[in-house]
Amino acid sequence: MVARAGRYVYAQVIKDVVEFLGLDESTGPKLSPAQLAGRSDRVLTTALRLVRQMPDALLDNQLPHRPRSWRVLMHHIFQIHAAFIEAQRSGKRLEYEVLVATPPETMRTSRDIAQFGEQVHSDFSRWWQTAQSLAFEASVDTYFGQTTRHEMLERTVWHSAQHVRQLAALLEQAGISPDAPLSPADIDGLPLTDKIWDEG
């Protein structure tokens, strides 16, 4: 949240913050929808590869600075896209509760999570095949307010990408060399910083 003179705005959308502060900055996505779809494919493919590397014995470990297990983080990478796809197909509001839904108790292993990720990857590919005729500047409703379909797609891609970077760091922490993690070129043009973890 950004507050000023007794007013505030939720800092979920950079455009809203820039307008609230009266700044003269361009805040729209740098990448086209087609470029973002391509990045999405790279992000999800990388996530699947890294998830399969994670030993099951480590899945209950907790992330630094927040109460989230490695298992929940790995599932969340794919759930971000699943929530996006559900909202797009239904035409309904993107709900926070769907975005942060935790994995079912039956999803206990890295293999289980990878199977879920494969389905999400396939669902996104099918959505994109028919999405190119959509108006990406059209307004869509989300839990953080109105945004465009283009911005919502960008947010989906960078959000997942950030967590894939974290997953690679967790593998390194476990003494496992990540198999072809995301490169600087993979995140170029996405609104990400060099920081991989939130500060506690």
Side-chain angles (χ1 to χ4, degrees):
M1 181 183 298
V2 178
R4 184 182 190 186
R7 298 169 54 240
Y8 67 89
V9 64
Y10 289 107
Q12 293 280 350
V13 182
I14 296 299
K15 178 181 67 175
D16 293 345
V17 176
V18 168
E19 290 177 356
F20 178 75
L21 296 176
L23 303 177
D24 184 20
E25 297 288 341
S26 175
T27 59
K30 293 182 179 179
L31 302 178
S32 70
Q35 288 173 314
L36 288 168
R39 295 295 179 87
S40 176
D41 181 70
R42 171 65 175 154
V43 167
L44 293 176
T45 300
T46 302
L48 284 167
R49 189 166 52 251
L50 300 186
V51 162
R52 292 187 182 106
Q53 287 188 269
M54 183 62 74
D56 293 340
L58 302 180
L59 296 190
D60 287 331
N61 287 0
Q62 296 294 302
L63 298 179
H65 311 310
R66 66 182 308 175
R68 175 182 276 177
S69 70
W70 294 14
R71 181 175 75 98
V72 170
L73 173 74
M74 287 163 41
H75 172 268
H76 184 55
I77 291 170
F78 303 112
Q79 184 61 29
I80 293 165
H81 273 74
F84 170 84
I85 295 163
E86 179 179 322
Q88 287 297 296
R89 286 180 173 169
S90 69
K92 296 180 180 178
R93 167 183 157 122
L94 174 67
E95 299 292 352
Y96 180 75
E97 292 76 14
V98 178
L99 190 76
V100 298
T102 56
E105 283 303 312
T106 54
M107 199 179 291
R108 297 301 310 173
T109 67
S110 294
R111 181 179 179 182
D112 294 337
I113 296 170
Q115 288 176 339
F116 171 63
E118 288 168 355
Q119 183 61 57
V120 171
H121 190 195
S122 177
D123 287 347
F124 183 86
S125 296
R126 283 196 297 271
W127 172 80
W128 175 246
Q129 288 173 4
T130 60
Q132 297 169 61
S133 62
L134 296 175
F136 276 84
E137 295 311 309
S139 180
V140 293
D141 192 18
T142 78
Y143 68 92
F144 53 83
Q146 293 289 319
T147 188
T148 67
R149 180 176 285 110
H150 193 175
E151 289 166 334
M152 187 176 171
L153 175 59
E154 179 193 53
R155 183 182 180 88
T156 298
V157 176
W158 72 248
H159 190 173
S160 288
Q162 178 67 352
H163 290 314
V164 173
R165 295 165 76 196
Q166 293 172 347
L167 176 55
L170 294 177
L171 285 168
E172 291 177 345
Q173 181 180 318
I176 300 168
S177 179
D179 180 9
L182 293 176
S183 69
D186 292 326
I187 62 172
D188 183 49
L190 298 175
L192 291 170
T193 68
D194 291 336
K195 290 184 178 180
I196 293 179
W197 301 107
D198 296 332
E199 296 181 358

